[in-house]
Amino acid sequence: MLTKIQTLNTEFLQAIENIKDQKQLEDLRIVYLSRNGSIASLFEELKNVPKEEKPLLGKELNRLRNLAEEKFAEKKSEFEKLLTKKSQQIDLTLPGRKVELGHKHLLTQTLDEIKSIFKGLGFSIFEGPELESDYYNFEALNFPADHPARDMQDTFFVNKNFLLRTHTSPVQVRLMEKLQPPLRAIMPGKVYRNEAISSRSHCMFHQVEGLCVDTDITFAELKGTLVAFTKQFYGKDLNYRFRPSFFPFTEPSAEMDITCFLCKGKGCRVCKHSGWLEILGCGMVDPNVFDYAKYDNEKYTGYAFGMGIERTAMLKYGITDIRTFFENDVRFLKQF
Ligand code: PHE
């Protein structure tokens, strides 16, 4: 019996040294330490040995069982440690985490498209200041002294002579002061109006101004250019019309409408049941403006136009609230 215990002891120690994974360890436990395992069966045999041998053999057998249990527990925790270590290791074969790239704001995209179409038509790009003088924003654009647009209600005045420009038209005058005809340019930028913020108006928005000056520029050229732009931007098969209008700095003046994209001209809420949507203001440069810019108004003629970029994007993409452009809600921005 004693030799049996000793053999089992050496056998067990050898076996546990060769264990390579948790599955093998479990198999080993079943062979040696389970209820029907070899150690348990030695305990069974112990019942049959002579009384005087029992204390020594019992002690040896207990020692073997304790040793086996101890070694088993040791091995088990060794495997568990290895496993957690492995799970903390970096798996180089794992695919990388996707970095989400942003994209241009819808207003920038819209302006980029407008710019590229006008570039194709031979226009260059200029910019002017947002803080503007009364002279450029009104006076040089032929606004009479008592014109309602000068009113405190529409204009953010900084002081008596300076204001936040209410449109991009002052850049026309700045450009003409700088350059001599022939001239073909668009002038994008922010403009400000003292208006209550609602779904249709904001106190800050963007415009693109256009100006073309040369000898012999006619209204036909104005129409041709704007129709070419409109067809490229909104689509080839839309209908358009020019409606007489008034601006102090153009004569004659017009507003351009396109067929309502929603109802296709039948009349709906968006077009206020007219079937038309206004997209821009335009006209032939008033000779008085040429005077302010020191251009010879006998020699030169020209046309100008201006459109709101938010409005343009809203019409093209069916956006119904101008405030969404400035709220920076990615759920809105992501859609474009
Ligand atoms: N500045 C005008 C506006 O803000 C638009 C316009 C520009 C009209 C140029 C005619 C010519 O409404």
Side-chain angles (χ1 to χ4, degrees):
M1 179 87 182
L2 192 60
T3 38
K4 261 193 191 168
I5 296 174
Q6 280 161 352
T7 329
L8 200 62
N9 195 343
T10 29
E11 220 183 86
F12 174 80
L13 288 178
Q14 248 172 27
I16 200 151
E17 280 312 308
N18 294 326
I19 292 297
K20 290 195 185 63
D21 56 34
Q22 273 176 315
K23 163 97 181 53
Q24 286 180 1
L25 187 66
E26 176 61 12
D27 290 346
L28 188 84
R29 189 192 65 79
I30 292 167
V31 172
Y32 289 92
L33 284 162
S34 67
R35 235 189 307 145
N36 302 316
S38 39
I39 293 176
S41 58
L42 280 185
F43 271 105
E44 278 301 311
E45 272 181 47
L46 191 61
K47 288 176 188 159
N48 307 324
V49 300
K51 230 180 181 175
E52 56 284 5
E53 287 179 27
K54 263 186 190 163
L56 176 74
L57 288 175
K59 206 175 135 201
E60 277 305 300
L61 205 48
N62 269 324
R63 198 192 48 75
L64 171 61
R65 188 178 58 190
N66 292 343
L67 176 86
E69 273 171 358
E70 209 177 282
K71 287 271 174 199
F72 173 80
E74 237 173 57
K75 223 23 183 205
K76 193 174 162 193
S77 82
E78 220 174 85
F79 280 129
E80 277 166 2
K81 261 192 218 145
L82 213 69
L83 212 71
T84 47
K85 214 171 155 191
K86 244 190 188 159
S87 69
Q88 284 164 356
Q89 272 171 359
I90 301 167
D91 182 354
L92 294 175
T93 64
L94 224 60
R97 286 205 187 93
K98 217 171 135 194
V99 178
E100 219 175 301
L101 277 184
H103 64 70
K104 285 185 184 173
H105 192 282
L106 177 58
L107 282 179
T108 312
Q109 289 180 41
T110 308
L111 179 59
D112 281 352
E113 200 182 339
I114 296 171
K115 278 180 183 169
S116 101
I117 293 173
F118 278 107
K119 265 189 186 168
L121 293 168
F123 284 71
S124 20
I125 297 164
F126 283 90
E127 281 179 13
E130 289 168 33
L131 180 67
E132 192 49 283
S133 65
D134 182 275
Y135 174 80
Y136 285 108
N137 197 80
F138 294 128
E139 197 178 331
L141 289 168
N142 202 32
F143 277 82
D146 56 355
H147 194 282
R150 291 190 173 208
D151 203 305
M152 289 293 272
Q153 272 166 7
D154 294 311
T155 308
F156 286 116
F157 279 94
V158 175
N159 59 31
K160 201 172 159 283
N161 295 317
F162 286 93
L163 47 86
L164 295 175
R165 66 179 177 194
T166 58
H167 51 177
T168 42
S169 301
V171 193
Q172 286 187 34
V173 184
R174 290 182 173 275
L175 192 60
M176 288 191 273
E177 284 179 350
K178 226 185 240 163
L179 300 176
Q180 288 303 305
L183 208 83
R184 236 188 204 87
I186 57 166
M187 296 145 266
K190 287 193 177 79
V191 302
Y192 302 84
R193 284 183 200 176
N194 196 353
E195 276 184 58
I197 295 172
S198 73
S199 62
R200 266 173 296 165
S201 61
H202 211 284
C203 56
M204 186 280 296
F205 56 100
H206 298 74
Q207 285 188 333
V208 188
E209 193 79 11
L211 177 68
C212 168
V213 185
D214 201 348
T215 53
D216 308 317
I217 296 291
T218 64
F219 200 92
E221 188 156 340
L222 160 69
K223 275 178 85 172
T225 305
L226 291 179
V227 169
F229 163 76
T230 309
K231 295 217 160 183
Q232 272 191 63
F233 188 81
Y234 289 102
K236 277 208 161 38
D237 35 49
L238 56 78
N239 228 335
Y240 58 86
R241 70 176 184 188
F242 286 84
R243 216 169 4 87
S245 185
F246 174 80
F247 300 102
F249 38 95
T250 49
E251 185 59 35
S253 305
E255 273 166 325
M256 187 177 181
D257 297 341
I258 57 171
T259 334
C260 176
F261 63 90
L262 253 192
C263 62
K264 305 272 180 287
K266 286 192 201 82
C268 68
R269 258 182 49 211
V270 171
C271 61
K272 297 197 190 94
H273 302 283
S274 68
W276 295 98
L277 294 168
E278 181 206 318
I279 56 164
L280 53 84
C282 59
M284 302 305 290
V285 180
D286 192 298
N288 288 344
V289 177
F290 282 150
D291 273 348
Y292 279 106
K294 305 204 166 57
Y295 272 13
D296 183 349
N297 64 20
E298 295 289 330
K299 190 170 163 195
Y300 296 117
T301 51
Y303 64 80
F305 57 87
M307 63 185 114
I309 304 179
E310 284 80 0
R311 187 176 165 76
T312 304
M314 284 167 86
L315 293 179
K316 184 158 178 169
Y317 299 102
I319 297 161
T320 49
D321 193 328
I322 191 170
R323 292 169 293 197
T324 49
F325 287 105
F326 311 118
E327 279 164 359
N328 279 336
D329 185 337
V330 283
R331 288 170 303 177
F332 167 74
L333 299 174
K334 259 186 177 169
Q335 296 175 49
F336 308 98

